[in-house]
Amino acid sequence: MRVLLAEDNPRLAILIAEGLEAEGFVLDRFASLSVAWESMAVTPYDLLLIDLGMPDGDGVDFIRAVRRTGSGAPILVITARNGLGDRVGGLDSGADDYLVKPFDMAELAARCRALLRRPGGCLGIVLSLRNLDFDTVAREVRVGGRVIHVPPRERDLLERLMRRAGHVVSKTSLEEAMYALSSEVTPNALEAAASRLRRRLGAAGADVILHTAHGVGYMLVPAPHPADAGAEREAP
């Protein structure tokens, strides 16, 4: 899940980034609304975290501008403004939730997940394909009910592929979802992650196949069962 953070306090921005990245989010942070707006023009975000008191404008006006574009991305306000009028104004501007500073990182992560689970959001609770399950809240991968260890980057890749199971997911969209703008990404990073994930799932007995569409992207599909092949041979 790719998140945009507009927060001008450097220390707090780093703490939020580290906390959410540990929860499996990919986060781009910006210290001004103008740069955040420019990034939104070229990068699709699943969730926006907006501080209201930014140096180059008011977050409420920014949220209204976002909604005028037709964007339905969930917006969570994070701010020190705790008055009733502030909360009402923030929500009426188009925000989906409102969190007052200081807050606990666990609560912020939980609110992010809750917003992404809403209808139209990108976060389902448990994704399943044959004997492979991905719990997006606990960030656990199970094969046949048994939890297997999958490193964070491979989990991000697996989640994207499971959400589009049976369809080729382009390399560009995978890289955008898995790596923050500030990340140093080697040319073969995605290919290496896919190769490791393929071996890991195979070793665990996952009943799926991770296909490579050379030059295009990757696709996760159910592995064919012997009975399926037999049925095909018997079909007239």
Side-chain angles (χ1 to χ4, degrees):
M1 294 76 66
R2 195 177 190 114
V3 178
L4 178 146
L5 170 64
E7 170 59 61
D8 65 324
N9 182 317
R11 183 172 178 275
L12 179 58
I14 291 173
L15 290 174
I16 292 174
E18 291 177 347
L20 290 183
E21 286 169 358
E23 295 285 340
F25 294 89
V26 174
L27 189 139
D28 297 328
R29 50 190 172 92
F30 304 96
S32 71
L33 294 175
S34 59
V35 179
W37 184 266
E38 291 173 358
S39 182
M40 287 181 59
V42 296
T43 305
Y45 287 100
D46 300 308
L47 174 66
L48 311 179
L49 306 181
I50 308 297
D51 181 17
L52 297 185
M54 297 292 286
D56 61 339
D58 192 293
V60 170
D61 295 331
F62 180 86
I63 294 169
R64 290 196 182 105
V66 170
R67 291 306 186 218
R68 283 197 295 269
T69 69
S71 171
I75 299 177
L76 171 57
V77 170
I78 50 173
T79 181
R81 301 179 189 175
N82 61 358
L84 176 60
D86 295 316
R87 295 197 298 274
V88 171
L91 294 170
D92 282 347
S93 70
D96 298 277
D97 199 359
Y98 195 102
L99 185 59
V100 176
K101 303 173 184 175
F103 49 78
D104 189 88
M105 189 56 60
E107 181 180 4
L108 174 62
R111 285 175 182 255
C112 289
R113 289 191 292 266
L115 288 173
L116 293 169
R117 285 197 300 269
R118 290 182 179 179
C122 73
L123 189 60
I125 297 177
V126 178
L127 307 174
S128 298
L129 186 63
R130 288 278 171 84
N131 67 340
L132 176 65
D133 299 306
F134 187 104
D135 186 326
T136 61
V137 176
R139 309 303 294 171
E140 287 183 345
V141 179
R142 301 184 182 91
V143 174
R146 179 175 59 87
V147 175
I148 66 170
H149 171 70
V150 179
R153 195 71 73 192
E154 293 173 42
R155 281 203 308 264
D156 295 342
L157 173 59
L158 178 62
E159 180 174 3
R160 285 286 164 171
L161 293 176
M162 290 189 73
R163 290 189 183 282
R164 295 281 295 160
H167 301 273
V168 174
V169 184
S170 71
K171 293 175 62 177
T172 299
S173 65
L174 289 170
E175 289 172 343
E176 288 178 348
M178 293 169 59
Y179 302 101
L181 294 177
S182 58
S183 300
E184 294 184 6
V185 184
T186 62
N188 297 322
L190 179 58
E191 288 82 354
S195 178
R196 292 193 299 269
L197 178 60
R198 183 182 290 114
R199 292 195 301 268
R200 197 180 306 276
L201 294 176
D207 199 11
V208 299
I209 297 175
L210 201 170
H211 286 296
T212 300
H214 293 287
V216 181
Y218 297 90
M219 176 173 64
L220 193 70
V221 298
H225 285 166
D228 298 335
E232 291 179 3
R233 286 194 297 270
E234 294 171 5

